[in-house]
Amino acid sequence: MSELAYVGKSVPRVDAPEKVAGRAVYTLDLQLPKMLFGKLKASEVPHARIKNIDTSRAEKLPGVRLVLTGEDMPEDLVWGVTPVCYDLIPLAREKVRFIGESVAAVVATDEDIAKEALDLIEVEYEDLPAVFDVFEAMREGAPLIHDKYPNNIALTKHMEFGEVERAFDEAAHVSELSTSSSRQAHCCFETHVSIAEWSPNGDLTVYNSSQCPSLSHQYFSKLLHIPESKVRVITNYVGGGFGGKATSKFNIDFLSIIAAKKLGRPVKFYYDREEEFLLGTFRTNQFHTTRIATDKDGILLAREMQMTVDNGAYSDYGPAVGAITAHMGGSLYNFKAYRHHANVVFTNATYGGAMRGIGNAGYSFGTEVAMEHHAREIGMDPAEFRLKNLVKKGDTTIIGAKISSCGVHECVQEAIKRVPWHEARPSSNGAKRGYGLSAAVHFTGARAMGPETAGAFIKVNKDGTVEVLSGTIEMGNGSNTSIAQICAEALGVRVEDVRIINGDTAVNPYGWGTRGSRTTAIDGQATRLAAIEAREMLLRGAAELLECDAKDLDAREGRIFVESAPENSVSHSEAYMKIYNKQGSEAVYATASYDSPSEDPDPVTGYGNWSAAYSFGAKLAEVEVDTETGEVEVIRIISANDCGTVVNPAGAMAQIEGGVLMGVGYAMIEDFAVDEGQPVNPNWLDYKLPTTQDVPALETVLIETESPSGPYGAKGLGEMVQLGTSAAIANAVYDAVGVWITSLPVTPEKVLTALREKEAAGG
């Protein structure tokens, strides 16, 4: 690839000045004229029939304008991410199914009055048996959480290819390991918020903190039975998402809409921090049993995964977790036979959803600890074992994934060469050092989740500056900067002359938003295609001015010039005015729509190339374990990543370092605990997050490959960066002290217990 002007360069973030100066506007900041405020009444029991809700005292409180219960919700206002699992309603009707579920809402002139009114609402419950364990929930006779889901199973996903049982029967070695992950909370600085306003002619405007305003726009139209042309969704800067804002936050979005319609005034609902924990979803916890079969040379023959996902009481992205991981599991290693079976199970607990690497963080922990365990059992170096079996460019995997670019082998090799991998591990004063490896894969947009299209609209101004209207959202991930770089590169203008406009469905093209590691590759490609079209128009004007053929011209950093004589040049503004100031005047607008070249998986078998590109990575953790206390200190994390062509190295490094730290938190301390349905730590005092004092040494390696489907060869990165961190740490603990920690988080108590059990067994 020839030297590029902006792609591949560390460009400062285009949103930095506003954010650093404190001028960036978030939805939580908005105040509309005559706005009212809504608050939610939470259930205090995990499973019960609602016998009666008395709102009379609350309704009489001065300043209260409206009290809503489940009986005020339209009967068909039910939603879920997976169509077979539509079970979410804005306010509980007839039953509550978890502690914290919203049973009533108050709208008042200010928040304090609304909160006071909540205490005046009296709810009479009839307690029902509850179930909190996923395996208990599936047993015959367990309390039924939703009548229409027998055995409390929201979704079963089964994928099977090859002769699985024969492969296990004929294998030289078979291993089996059970693992489990934990609940990780998103902990975004900006909580979920929704403000709704109706115009006198029946137009609806919703301001919400969403990663995907186009999807919210679609949901509101569909569920309210009004034309999409009557709905407008506006999203400002988003104060963090990590997948938790990938769909509308069902109850407060629709409660603000319903209340605003009834009252004729704008209504604002937002979650306080505890509500964010209870209602904002979290990373689902998973339970895995992994069986692996290899031949005498350590070549993989088969892998079987039996997985159970704790869905919680309702279906957000829990069902998608069970399905997506089936595809992920067949995209990293080559197998002769493969089986994935997942049950997504209802329990009387808060419900989980999508979080950075949907399902894949917990799944990759289970599979990569199992891979390490198998390598150790057959006496093979864990890095060698992986390198023998990882996919490579040109492979079509057993599930139909077509690997068009792949740097995973280089990732593994680069990671292990940065430590004394083949040398004895040092120890001193009861502390032992260990190294742990993991590999991972993630998609760049997933056709299994729906259409992977994006649109872009480019308007070139007469002064040569450019506006890009995109379906993306800037939520701290740097997407506006990457899109600006891609536009500047294709159009030949300066990055500082490109302005990204997004977050308004009335003007922006439809897009799936910032999710699924798709933004740079898919929205970026739509932007590039539109920019190329605008560039062709400008080249025609420049050719007239320079008296040459347009095909002899190039554009770079704000000038259009003759390739053979670069001193002969004009500005983009001059080229624009040449085609504008004439009979048959042309304004430079360009649009493009890009459909990612992936396939809809077979609806029965799941076979198919379900993503246009696959990002790969390897993590290597260096830890020190205190054998007297069980304390694990993470000394260093080496993160090697293949994300295709790197558009913005500084941005990529920031993503990687943030993702690795999130992975360290997931591995070591983060767990949203629920005891018999009662949330234990729904606040930032009790829910432990890694701080700057917990940051290990971070070493980042960028492995560049070229993806044929992405702009300038780019593919996704944002989710890949966290994956494998927890497995690498657990594997490093084994390398140091010889005990397997098979559940997250990796706590001193678990390590010390395992060490004592090993000692008692004579190990």
Side-chain angles (χ1 to χ4, degrees):
M1 184 184 296
S2 60
E3 179 69 18
L4 300 173
Y6 291 110
V7 169
K9 305 299 190 296
S10 292
V11 172
R13 286 182 54 147
V14 298
D15 56 328
E18 278 190 305
K19 289 181 175 178
V20 171
R23 292 195 299 268
V25 176
Y26 297 83
T27 306
L28 202 56
D29 298 326
L30 292 182
Q31 298 289 330
L32 301 184
K34 300 183 179 180
M35 189 166 71
L36 300 170
F37 299 88
K39 301 302 292 183
L40 301 169
K41 176 78 171 178
S43 166
E44 298 175 351
V45 294
H47 199 199
R49 295 194 191 283
I50 301 173
K51 295 185 69 176
N52 184 54
I53 302 179
D54 185 352
T55 62
S56 57
R57 293 171 62 211
E59 289 167 348
K60 294 174 184 176
L61 185 69
V64 170
R65 294 291 181 263
L66 182 67
V67 180
L68 296 168
T69 70
E71 299 306 313
D72 300 305
M73 300 297 104
E75 284 291 328
D76 59 352
L77 194 54
V78 182
W79 187 245
V81 174
T82 305
V84 296
C85 298
Y86 286 174
D87 50 49
L88 281 165
I89 54 177
L91 295 173
R93 207 164 36 216
E94 299 179 358
K95 283 174 65 173
V96 292
R97 295 175 171 88
F98 69 96
I99 292 173
E101 182 170 4
S102 303
V103 295
V106 172
V107 179
T109 52
D110 67 50
E111 291 183 57
D112 290 337
I113 293 173
K115 289 178 182 177
E116 184 181 350
L118 294 180
D119 294 331
L120 301 178
I121 298 173
E122 297 178 3
V123 185
E124 184 181 356
Y125 296 108
E126 177 189 333
D127 287 338
L128 295 171
V131 60
F132 309 109
D133 180 272
V134 287
F135 300 104
E136 292 288 338
M138 289 187 287
R139 289 180 180 168
E140 187 175 350
L144 204 60
I145 297 172
H146 295 272
D147 293 342
K148 62 181 179 179
Y149 298 110
N151 305 114
N152 291 315
I153 296 176
L155 182 80
T156 294
K157 177 68 175 182
H158 186 91
M159 282 177 62
E160 184 168 338
F161 301 98
E163 298 181 69
V164 177
E165 293 305 326
R166 181 178 177 182
F168 279 103
D169 289 342
E170 296 179 355
H173 191 89
V174 173
S175 69
E176 181 175 311
L177 188 70
S178 293
T179 52
S180 61
S181 63
S182 60
R183 297 178 178 92
Q184 184 181 29
H186 299 84
C187 294
C188 303
F189 284 128
E190 182 191 31
T191 62
H192 285 83
V193 55
S194 180
I195 304 169
E197 182 177 33
W198 291 84
S199 72
N201 64 352
D203 290 338
L204 168 65
T205 300
V206 179
Y207 305 85
N208 69 357
S209 180
S210 171
Q211 296 172 223
C212 310
S214 289
L215 294 188
S216 296
H217 177 258
Q218 172 185 310
Y219 298 156
F220 298 155
S221 169
K222 179 177 180 179
L223 294 183
L224 296 168
H225 308 292
I226 58 177
E228 289 190 8
S229 60
K230 304 286 283 183
V231 180
R232 182 183 187 185
V233 176
I234 298 175
T235 296
N236 298 280
Y237 283 126
V238 176
F242 305 118
K245 297 174 182 174
T247 55
S248 61
K249 195 43 58 185
F250 188 79
N251 67 343
I252 59 172
D253 279 333
F254 281 93
L255 289 172
S256 66
I257 291 168
I258 292 168
K261 182 74 168 177
K262 288 179 177 288
L263 296 170
R265 290 170 64 175
V267 174
K268 179 178 186 177
F269 276 84
Y270 71 91
Y271 292 159
D272 62 27
R273 185 54 60 185
E274 182 169 342
E275 289 170 333
E276 185 75 7
F277 274 94
L278 299 178
L279 302 172
T281 74
F282 47 83
R283 191 186 300 286
T284 55
N285 55 331
Q286 305 168 14
F287 303 85
H288 327 92
T289 297
T290 309
R291 284 203 305 156
I292 297 172
T294 52
D295 67 12
K296 61 182 178 60
D297 297 316
I299 301 298
L300 283 169
L301 299 178
R303 189 171 76 193
E304 176 186 39
M305 167 66 82
Q306 298 286 336
M307 184 168 80
T308 307
V309 179
D310 188 348
N311 198 42
Y314 293 95
S315 297
D316 189 88
Y317 265 88
V321 166
I324 284 290
T325 50
H327 296 277
M328 297 306 321
S331 305
L332 181 59
Y333 295 101
N334 282 311
F335 305 103
K336 304 290 191 301
Y338 175 79
R339 178 187 290 155
H340 173 101
H341 186 91
N343 285 320
V344 181
V345 183
F346 288 112
T347 59
N348 290 115
T350 55
Y351 55 92
M355 187 173 177
R356 197 176 200 168
I358 176 171
N360 202 4
Y363 184 84
S364 66
F365 169 74
T367 55
E368 283 300 293
V369 172
M371 287 290 286
E372 185 88 4
H373 174 261
H374 190 92
R376 301 278 184 170
E377 281 203 354
I378 64 176
M380 184 176 286
D381 178 88
E384 181 188 352
F385 180 50
R386 289 177 172 87
L387 290 168
K388 272 193 172 190
N389 292 289
L390 287 162
V391 298
K392 60 185 183 300
K393 180 180 177 180
D395 285 349
T396 297
T397 73
I398 196 165
I399 67 158
K402 296 176 182 176
I403 311 302
S404 57
S405 65
C406 179
V408 68
H409 290 79
E410 292 88 340
C411 289
V412 171
Q413 291 161 343
E414 286 293 326
I416 64 172
K417 83 177 188 182
R418 283 166 165 74
V419 298
W421 180 258
H422 298 290
E423 299 177 16
R425 311 305 192 231
S427 62
S428 62
N429 299 323
K432 294 188 176 182
R433 182 90 30 127
Y435 302 114
L437 181 68
S438 70
V441 64
H442 203 66
F443 49 77
T444 297
R447 184 73 63 171
M449 297 173 67
E452 278 302 331
T453 58
F457 172 46
I458 286 181
K459 173 192 172 189
V460 180
N461 297 312
K462 297 183 185 68
D463 61 3
T465 60
V466 182
E467 292 168 355
V468 180
L469 278 68
S470 171
T472 62
I473 284 295
E474 176 58 68
M475 60 174 186
N477 56 320
S479 57
N480 278 6
T481 307
S482 296
I483 295 294
Q485 287 178 258
I486 291 166
C487 175
E489 194 69 63
L491 197 48
V493 298
R494 301 182 306 164
V495 167
E496 53 265 40
D497 290 332
V498 179
R499 180 185 175 208
I500 309 298
I501 300 172
N502 47 25
D504 187 344
T505 61
V507 298
N508 290 113
Y510 183 86
W512 268 60
T514 304
R515 54 183 279 184
S517 299
R518 66 186 305 283
T519 304
T520 299
I522 298 175
D523 289 274
Q525 189 70 302
T527 300
R528 175 177 169 271
L529 295 173
I532 289 172
E533 185 177 329
R535 171 192 170 106
E536 294 303 313
M537 296 179 71
L538 291 169
L539 290 184
R540 284 194 282 108
E544 290 186 44
L545 289 171
L546 296 170
E547 299 180 342
C548 66
D549 197 303
K551 71 178 187 307
D552 296 327
L553 297 175
D554 198 359
R556 190 181 178 93
E557 299 183 65
R559 302 294 294 180
I560 301 172
F561 55 88
V562 179
E563 283 191 275
S564 59
E567 66 278 7
N568 295 334
S569 68
V570 296
S571 69
H572 286 67
S573 176
E574 290 169 324
Y576 189 118
M577 298 311 295
K578 183 63 179 176
I579 62 173
Y580 183 77
N581 285 331
K582 66 175 185 178
Q583 188 73 25
S585 174
E586 295 179 83
V588 184
Y589 305 117
T591 61
S593 182
Y594 177 67
D595 184 22
S596 172
S598 52
E599 303 169 1
D600 289 316
D602 185 281
V604 176
T605 67
Y607 187 87
N609 186 39
W610 58 287
S611 181
Y614 302 87
S615 297
F616 297 93
K619 300 289 194 301
L620 193 146
E622 180 179 354
V623 306
E624 199 167 79
V625 182
D626 189 320
T627 55
E628 294 182 358
T629 66
E631 183 179 358
V632 178
E633 182 181 358
V634 181
I635 306 295
R636 177 168 53 149
I637 300 287
I638 299 166
S639 182
N641 305 268
D642 160 30
C643 59
T645 299
V646 179
V647 174
N648 188 331
M653 298 275 281
Q655 280 272 36
I656 291 165
E657 292 181 0
V660 169
L661 186 58
M662 181 178 277
V664 171
Y666 185 47
M668 304 301 295
I669 56 175
E670 291 189 58
D671 187 12
F672 179 41
V674 179
D675 182 12
E676 295 295 295
Q678 178 65 55
V680 174
N681 53 345
N683 56 72
W684 279 0
L685 178 63
D686 298 313
Y687 182 90
K688 302 305 180 185
L689 285 166
T691 69
T692 53
Q693 296 182 6
D694 302 302
V695 181
L698 301 176
E699 190 169 338
T700 298
V701 185
L702 295 172
I703 305 294
E704 291 198 90
T705 61
E706 189 170 346
S707 171
S709 62
Y712 304 101
K715 52 187 179 182
L717 174 68
E719 293 171 285
M720 178 66 244
V721 295
Q722 179 182 354
L723 301 177
T725 308
S726 56
I729 291 171
N731 292 339
V733 170
Y734 179 85
D735 188 60
V737 294
V739 296
W740 294 109
I741 306 303
T742 56
S743 65
L744 293 176
V746 179
T747 63
E749 293 83 358
K750 291 177 184 177
V751 174
L752 197 56
T753 298
L755 286 171
R756 288 172 176 170
E757 290 174 351
K758 177 187 175 185
E759 184 179 0

